[in-house]
Amino acid sequence: MKKTCLFSFALAAVTAVSLPPALHAQATAAATRGGMAQVGVAYTTSNQDEFKQRLQGVTIYGTFDLNNNFGLEGDVHMMSILKSYYSYTESSYDVGLRYVRHYRSFSPYAKGLIGFGHSQTPSPNEIYGGNTPGTYMLFALGGGLDYGLTNKINIRIVDFEYQRWPNFPPHGLTPAPVSFGIAYRLR
């Protein structure tokens, strides 16, 4: 009887120590969603400090979700490709972290980015300060909403960034691009 009780206790102890971590490892792998990437293109409109009219252009973006909520995003904003004023061009290239939540097919997100922006005009005397052409460091905060149309197609309902170019003379530049687009999900 003692041997049976001792054997049962040893078997229960070994099972209790080895089985739950193995089961936990299986559940964790099934519950994560890491490695999802998407590449997209969007129509972009942006205010800018130099003129009262809005620039119109194109944004190419990509995201890579590291897990279910945190990921990376990179944006290339060519904000004056479709419509510009006085041949003034403005573009920005930024990358950073994003936080996303998933509610059925909707995925709202917030992001913080850093990068650089470039502005240019054929006649620097037409804008305040005569500070183009030039490339300047920028940082941006933003957010948006994606909608999963199918397993492979995401609609970017809206994306907003508030960019700050602090070194743009004389007092910085603050474009705020707003984008609407479509993306292809790679996984």
Side-chain angles (χ1 to χ4, degrees):
M1 179 77 174
K2 277 184 166 181
K3 287 183 180 181
T4 305
C5 287
L6 188 57
F7 178 73
S8 296
F9 178 72
L11 184 62
V14 168
T15 304
V17 171
S18 64
L19 193 55
L23 291 176
H24 180 68
Q26 291 173 357
T28 302
T32 61
R33 202 188 91 126
M36 199 282 287
Q38 69 178 352
V39 177
V41 63
Y43 164 79
T44 301
T45 181
S46 174
N47 74 323
Q48 39 80 41
D49 299 342
E50 298 299 333
F51 307 106
K52 298 296 181 203
Q53 298 89 357
R54 295 185 69 83
L55 299 174
Q56 296 178 26
V58 175
T59 294
I60 299 169
Y61 64 94
T63 65
F64 181 76
D65 291 338
L66 301 170
N67 62 27
N68 203 30
N69 296 112
F70 291 99
L72 305 172
E73 179 162 344
D75 299 322
V76 175
H77 298 289
M78 296 169 280
M79 293 182 270
S80 49
I81 265 184
L82 301 176
K83 190 169 190 180
S84 180
Y85 297 94
Y86 306 106
S87 299
Y88 175 77
T89 63
E90 192 174 286
S91 56
S92 64
Y93 312 88
D94 46 6
V95 65
L97 298 174
R98 78 180 203 142
Y99 177 78
V100 62
R101 297 293 306 236
H102 303 284
Y103 302 101
R104 296 186 182 166
S105 294
F106 292 96
S107 299
Y109 59 90
K111 60 184 178 175
L113 309 165
I114 190 165
F116 63 93
H118 182 76
S119 67
Q120 183 173 337
T121 188
S123 177
N125 297 330
E126 292 178 357
I127 63 172
Y128 182 70
N131 42 20
T132 63
T135 301
Y136 305 94
M137 188 269 311
L138 71 86
F139 57 89
L141 293 175
L145 178 64
D146 285 345
Y147 176 75
L149 188 63
T150 69
N151 286 338
K152 292 290 186 179
I153 303 295
N154 271 353
I155 302 295
R156 180 151 280 186
I157 295 173
V158 66
D159 178 79
F160 173 78
E161 280 184 24
Y162 177 78
Q163 294 183 353
R164 178 83 172 123
W165 304 17
N167 298 330
F168 192 92
H171 303 294
L173 188 68
T174 56
V178 177
S179 302
F180 313 94
I182 189 164
Y184 180 75
R185 202 178 298 165
L186 301 173
R187 179 183 168 224

